[in-house]
Amino acid sequence: MPVEIAVIEGDGIGKEVVPAAVEVLDAVAATGSIGEFEYTYVDAGDAVLAETGEALPEDTYEAAANADATLFGAAGETAADVILPLRDAVGSFVNIRPARAFPGVDAVRSETDVVFLRENTEGVYAGHEDRLSEDLSTLTRVVTSSASRELAEFACDFVEDGRGPDGSEGFTVAHKANVMRETDGRFRDEVLAVAAERGVEADEELMDAFATKLPLDPTQYGVVVCGNLAGDVLSDLAAGLVGGLGLLPSANIGHDNGLFEPVHGTAPDIAGEGVANPTAAILSAAMLVEYFGYVEDGNRIRDAVEAVLTDGPRTGDLGGSATTTEVTEAVVERL
Ligand code: GGG
């Protein structure tokens, strides 16, 4: 049976990097153990909104919900109307965002090797925003014990399975419970309680202190568990330490479905020029392959990417002048 993948390129450079990731998936399927992929192309985002009046058409939502997994590019102004419902379509409760410095890439902190496990359904991204008057807008922050505990259980499994950097045996929970006492207090307490129940080492860090300490010494951290907004922002901070957003993949994991997307957005400044860095999307494809249990095939993709980053063509964000296609072909050649 082929693995059924919904493909949503979205806006901007999503249209350039997602085809690159598909090319790599096909090359892996042709030479590895995963078998065939069958793609259903659907779309979402700013351009779809302009065309149809809906940023996320029903058939796109359904395609993601019914596929074995989804490969997604990027959404711009419509991010809230596209990405959040898509995560819901696949039932995702955690967003895995690894930030690792690659040999050969000029990084601010070449020792960085951190994986963010980001709560993916609530916090300030739960969508409860209101304009109450000409002067006043409000936002309701949602934190439940159940979602916090589900994330924590995943984090415990993650470290117990040795999936953290250097086989980390524990994790750090980053929060702001000294100010958001009720919501982040609940989040922190539940995550630490699950870790204690499971006998997994866990410590805590205020997220602002974390934002200072990570760039000063990233080796202090391995697996970092955080709320939705904190995970979005802190992983972008980590991207800055390893060479930029063009390098960070992500996996939105559900119980029997997943959505794989580069951390970056649409990059309107370079969209359409064919020079976007496909690395983050290709590494997201590696996470997709691994999600189906084909760890060796995932590693093949990662090794090929690493080889290209070491001595192959590179795009402008990494100081080179190669096109998206040239980098993708170089990765495929090294598989
Ligand atoms: N590739 C995903 C994308 O479009 N990222 C831009 C963005 O605004 N993301 C928000 C989020 O990940 O929650």
Side-chain angles (χ1 to χ4, degrees):
M1 288 273 282
V3 179
E4 290 180 21
I5 307 288
V7 181
I8 308 171
E9 294 176 351
D11 296 310
I13 61 167
K15 298 206 179 304
E16 297 156 52
V17 298
V18 169
V22 169
E23 203 176 318
V24 170
L25 281 178
D26 282 339
V28 162
T31 54
S33 48
I34 191 161
E36 243 182 284
F37 292 105
E38 194 172 276
Y39 304 106
T40 301
Y41 282 86
V42 280
D43 214 352
D46 300 0
V48 174
L49 173 69
E51 243 171 69
T52 69
E54 270 181 313
L56 182 67
E58 184 65 23
D59 66 326
T60 303
Y61 183 95
E62 289 301 322
N66 296 325
D68 294 318
T70 295
L71 190 59
F72 171 61
E77 290 303 313
T78 52
D81 304 316
V82 172
I83 303 173
L84 305 186
L86 279 178
R87 289 178 184 149
D88 171 71
V90 302
S92 174
F93 57 90
V94 57
N95 186 201
I96 308 175
R97 293 185 160 196
R100 182 162 73 91
F102 290 95
V105 173
D106 197 13
V108 174
R109 284 287 178 203
S110 57
E111 326 86 288
T112 308
D113 194 359
V114 180
V115 177
F116 293 89
L117 301 180
R118 166 188 176 192
E119 200 288 318
N120 221 13
T121 60
E122 44 187 45
V124 292
Y125 283 13
H128 303 295
E129 261 197 310
D130 291 295
R131 174 177 286 249
L132 297 185
S133 75
E134 275 305 299
D135 186 48
L136 175 66
S137 297
T138 59
L139 167 65
T140 301
R141 185 163 200 262
V142 178
V143 174
T144 62
S145 291
S146 48
S148 307
R149 293 182 72 86
E150 185 166 43
L151 174 68
E153 293 284 0
F154 182 90
C156 291
D157 291 343
F158 193 85
V159 295
E160 281 180 355
D161 293 347
R163 295 175 65 194
D166 285 334
S168 333
E169 286 177 2
F171 60 77
T172 301
V173 54
H175 61 80
K176 192 67 186 161
N178 60 336
V179 173
M180 296 181 282
R181 292 190 189 113
E182 182 52 46
T183 50
D184 255 13
R186 179 187 288 267
F187 176 72
R188 186 250 339 252
D189 292 349
E190 294 290 10
V191 171
L192 291 178
V194 169
E197 284 157 27
R198 294 274 301 262
V200 169
E201 284 169 35
D203 57 11
E204 58 176 302
E205 189 85 82
L206 290 172
M207 66 171 87
D208 45 356
F210 177 89
T212 301
K213 288 164 81 172
L214 181 75
L216 289 174
D217 180 10
T219 63
Q220 298 172 80
Y221 304 105
V223 176
V224 182
V225 174
C226 38
N228 208 337
L229 174 64
D232 199 7
V233 175
L234 295 175
S235 55
D236 277 29
L237 170 73
L241 300 180
V242 302
L245 276 169
L247 298 171
L248 255 63
S250 84
N252 301 276
I253 301 298
H255 294 288
D256 54 8
N257 204 339
L259 170 74
F260 299 82
E261 53 171 329
V263 166
H264 63 67
T266 57
D269 52 329
I270 54 162
E273 292 176 20
V275 296
N277 188 346
T279 302
I282 292 172
L283 291 173
S284 302
M287 293 180 87
L288 181 153
V289 165
E290 259 178 11
Y291 168 73
F292 289 106
Y294 296 92
V295 175
E296 214 168 285
D297 285 334
N299 282 336
R300 283 174 61 216
I301 299 177
R302 227 170 268 115
D303 289 347
V305 165
E306 201 166 305
V308 172
L309 288 172
T310 303
D311 61 9
R314 49 180 67 190
T315 44
D317 57 320
L318 300 180
S321 57
T323 63
T324 309
T325 306
E326 285 164 348
V327 173
T328 308
E329 279 169 6
V331 171
V332 168
E333 268 168 32
R334 285 164 172 82
L335 276 172

